[in-house]
Amino acid sequence: MKINKRHLLNYSILLPYLILSVLGLIVVYSTTSASLIQYGLNPFRSVINQGVFWIISILAILFIYHLRLNFLKNKATLTVAMLVEVVLLLVARFFTKEVNGAHGWIVLGPISFQPAEYLKLIMVWFLAYTFAKKQHDIEVYDYQALTKRKWIPRRMDDLKDWRVYALFLILLVAAQPDLGNATIIVLTAVIMYSISGIGYRWFSALLTSIVTLSALFLGLISVVGVETMSKVPFFGYVAKRFSAFFNPFKDVTDAGHQLANSYYAMSNGGWFGRGLGNSIEKRGYLPEAQTDFVFSIVIEELGLIGAGLILALVFFLILRILLVGVKAKNPFNAMIALGVGAMLLMQVFVNIGGISGLIPSTGVTFPFLSQGGNSLLVLSVAIGFVLNIDANEKREEIYREADEAQRDPEDVFVEERYQSNYN
């Protein structure tokens, strides 16, 4: 007997997602209504747009949840998705207007979208598909199964190398320039590479290399100077961010304006906050208060305790997603879930690190809370993938137990639910 997937829904993932999404709508209204009123616009304009994307996201989750997982494992589907993404990234870079120093948005009438946002999930999908196919080789040859080719292809056959595709897509994002999303994609790829089955010592080596190169790069900028480095191609846009990283109060009116006011916002919040809607910094002092620096406003209005509870809920969601990957028996399912968890974790790390001055600000939004329909849709699709994978893994486990006991799968399922509720 076939078990209905609606009975296998993982509410420990769905409920935190719904709570964070609703909180996001409240935060979007709180951070945008004052400025919209100032310009004589509808104060609900931004939250309505976000709400429309949220409804679309819910429908996307329902659709993805009921799909067969074979569509994710289909090479033709993945190939089409990657080709479309390459075209969109090229269009965004060379055929769109510059916005805040970068070419990242494609505008079609009232609709605008950022291809780099979708690449984060496509990269997780691509790497999961690639590494899952190489599991046998990884078990035998360890990291050599993933590094037997050269980085630069010398023959047409070498173009099949997964690293060529990954590097090309990441370079397209960095060339926009969008260093924030490029950083998230690189860190997510490193984590997925490290959990693909290779020896744990290689993760330590990769982590040490990244930390060392980052320290050397920051040291070089500190010695040479931001002004000199700003003359380097593609670096001029991010030069001010590095200047603010070293000392945001050196130039409060320009380079350090955002980070300095981010500090002021968090200082204003204290432990318990000024109250929802009572932020001072969002009233024209802190630019991009509804996107990049939204968590600074959350701290100002809800305090460190309120913001800490939200952050704890985000980490709970990430841990539940990672747990799905850890428990999964199928390598592809495990890599998808772990990749999605890593992607969320890296986005939180880059955003919080940027607003607190731990790392240079990169313009990355905070998951679920920041204004941005594209970001919400991508995260929702990722949640849909994980919920589908979790349900399929549970169903396969029930079928395995039923086969071993030669019983009806429905009876095994009912018995497991009873024992779970009883315990």
Side-chain angles (χ1 to χ4, degrees):
M1 182 180 295
K2 186 176 181 180
I3 300 173
N4 197 315
K5 286 177 71 173
R6 65 185 176 88
H7 298 304
L8 302 173
L9 187 60
N10 192 331
Y11 289 99
S12 65
I13 291 177
L14 180 62
L15 290 180
Y17 161 77
L18 293 175
I19 293 171
L20 288 168
S21 299
V22 173
L23 284 173
L25 295 176
I26 296 171
V27 170
V28 167
Y29 175 76
S30 176
T31 53
T32 60
S33 57
S35 59
L36 290 172
I37 292 174
Q38 181 180 355
Y39 290 107
L41 301 173
N42 183 358
F44 294 95
R45 178 179 177 179
S46 295
V47 74
I48 290 174
N49 291 337
Q50 190 81 355
V52 169
F53 271 97
W54 184 50
I55 293 173
I56 296 173
S57 298
I58 295 294
L59 295 175
I61 290 177
L62 291 173
F63 176 73
I64 292 170
Y65 184 70
H66 288 93
L67 283 177
R68 293 181 179 272
L69 277 179
N70 289 335
F71 88 98
L72 278 178
K73 301 176 184 179
N74 188 297
K75 183 178 180 180
T77 305
L78 175 58
T79 301
V80 170
M82 293 188 67
L83 289 175
V84 170
E85 181 65 22
V86 169
V87 172
L88 292 177
L89 286 171
L90 290 173
V91 170
R93 176 61 185 88
F94 297 105
F95 301 99
T96 62
K97 294 182 179 179
E98 184 178 287
V99 178
N100 293 330
H103 299 266
W105 290 89
I106 296 177
V107 180
L108 299 174
I111 301 174
S112 62
F113 59 95
Q114 190 177 15
E117 285 286 345
Y118 298 90
L119 179 60
K120 292 186 291 188
L121 184 55
I122 291 175
M123 187 63 72
V124 169
W125 179 11
F126 170 65
L127 293 178
Y129 176 84
T130 302
F131 294 157
K133 287 181 60 179
K134 293 178 176 287
Q135 283 303 296
H136 174 72
D137 291 339
I138 292 173
E139 290 177 5
V140 177
Y141 301 108
D142 195 16
Y143 81 102
Q144 293 177 353
L146 301 176
T147 58
K148 62 183 180 180
R149 296 183 183 272
K150 306 293 185 181
W151 275 101
I152 301 176
R154 297 180 180 178
R155 304 187 306 271
M156 288 301 296
D157 289 343
D158 289 345
L159 291 173
K160 297 178 181 179
D161 190 347
W162 64 271
R163 291 169 299 167
V164 175
Y165 293 126
L167 183 61
F168 178 66
L169 288 168
I170 292 170
L171 289 176
L172 279 179
V173 175
Q176 291 184 358
D178 186 352
L179 296 186
N181 281 317
T183 300
I184 293 174
I185 294 170
V186 168
L187 293 177
T188 302
V190 167
I191 292 176
M192 292 188 69
Y193 179 88
S194 302
I195 62 177
S196 62
I198 63 173
Y200 69 91
R201 61 190 181 280
W202 300 113
F203 173 75
S204 302
L206 281 170
L207 182 62
T208 302
S209 300
I210 291 174
V211 173
T212 303
L213 289 174
S214 299
L216 290 174
F217 182 63
L218 290 175
L220 175 65
I221 296 174
S222 179
V223 173
V224 175
V226 176
E227 292 297 328
T228 303
M229 291 294 294
S230 65
K231 299 176 182 178
V232 178
F234 300 113
F235 193 79
Y237 167 64
V238 297
K240 289 185 178 181
R241 298 181 185 271
F242 281 92
S243 177
F245 169 72
F246 291 118
N247 185 0
F249 297 99
K250 184 178 180 180
D251 188 6
V252 179
T253 60
D254 189 15
H257 183 68
Q258 278 188 308
L259 189 54
N261 280 280
S262 175
Y263 289 159
Y264 294 148
M266 290 186 280
S267 176
N268 290 339
W271 288 104
F272 301 101
R274 298 179 56 85
L276 189 63
N278 294 326
S279 165
I280 296 174
E281 293 298 321
K282 71 181 181 184
R283 302 177 186 275
Y285 298 101
L286 178 58
E288 309 299 334
Q290 75 280 10
T291 53
D292 308 359
F293 287 83
V294 70
F295 206 73
S296 300
I297 303 301
V298 170
I299 295 175
E300 185 179 14
E301 295 189 345
L302 302 181
L304 285 173
I305 293 178
L309 291 174
I310 293 176
L311 200 57
L313 184 60
V314 174
F315 283 131
F316 174 79
L317 173 62
I318 293 172
L319 287 174
R320 295 302 302 182
I321 292 173
L322 292 175
L323 187 61
V324 171
V326 170
K327 289 184 175 181
K329 304 296 184 183
N330 183 285
F332 176 79
N333 294 347
M335 290 298 296
I336 284 282
L338 292 171
V340 168
M343 180 185 73
L344 267 170
L345 184 63
M346 290 302 99
Q347 186 163 341
V348 172
F349 165 72
V350 172
N351 179 269
I352 296 297
I355 69 170
S356 61
L358 295 177
I359 62 174
S361 176
T362 55
V364 170
T365 58
F366 189 89
F368 304 109
L369 299 189
S370 294
Q371 179 187 0
N374 288 277
S375 177
L376 179 60
L377 182 57
V378 169
L379 294 174
S380 300
V381 170
I383 295 293
F385 285 169
V386 175
L387 290 174
N388 193 342
I389 286 170
D390 183 62
N392 276 275
E393 286 287 333
K394 289 177 179 176
R395 188 162 58 184
E396 291 299 322
E397 181 65 24
I398 291 171
Y399 287 153
R400 281 193 294 268
E401 292 181 7
D403 288 340
E404 292 175 1
Q406 295 184 348
R407 297 166 59 190
D408 189 329
E410 187 70 29
D411 294 337
V412 176
F413 171 66
V414 171
E415 182 179 322
E416 287 188 353
R417 289 189 69 183
Y418 173 77
Q419 291 178 351
S420 177
N421 293 332
Y422 181 77
N423 294 333

